[in-house]
Amino acid sequence: MNKYKTTLLITLISLTTPLIALADDPMPGEFGGGDDSNPTDAPIDTNLWVLLVVGCLYVGYKLYKKKRYSVDSV
């Protein structure tokens, strides 16, 4: 019975979350709102290359580490 309650709760939450998210338009001055006095609050598009380089370095490090451990153990 507890499994059914959990499944029902997860289903209800996942169905009602979009309704809560779309319930109200943002007020002017809020993020994404009408008249924003400072449109560069989160300038991720100007420094996106930094994020890409850091991500590539992290993935390369993880692959190198995985390859090193798999070769050493064989």
Side-chain angles (χ1 to χ4, degrees):
M1 188 66 179
N2 193 14
K3 180 180 176 182
Y4 297 115
K5 286 182 183 179
T6 305
T7 305
L8 180 65
L9 181 65
I10 290 172
T11 304
L12 287 175
I13 288 173
S14 63
L15 289 175
T16 57
T17 301
L19 297 175
I20 295 169
L22 299 173
D24 192 19
D25 291 334
M27 299 288 291
E30 289 184 11
F31 188 74
D35 297 328
D36 193 7
S37 61
N38 190 4
T40 59
D41 286 339
I44 193 166
D45 57 341
T46 58
N47 294 322
L48 190 59
W49 65 272
V50 175
L51 182 63
L52 291 173
V53 168
V54 171
C56 289
L57 288 174
Y58 179 73
V59 169
Y61 171 73
K62 286 299 213 178
L63 288 175
Y64 172 75
K65 189 175 173 183
K66 183 178 180 181
K67 183 179 178 183
R68 190 178 80 195
Y69 284 131
S70 66
V71 171
D72 289 341
S73 63
V74 173

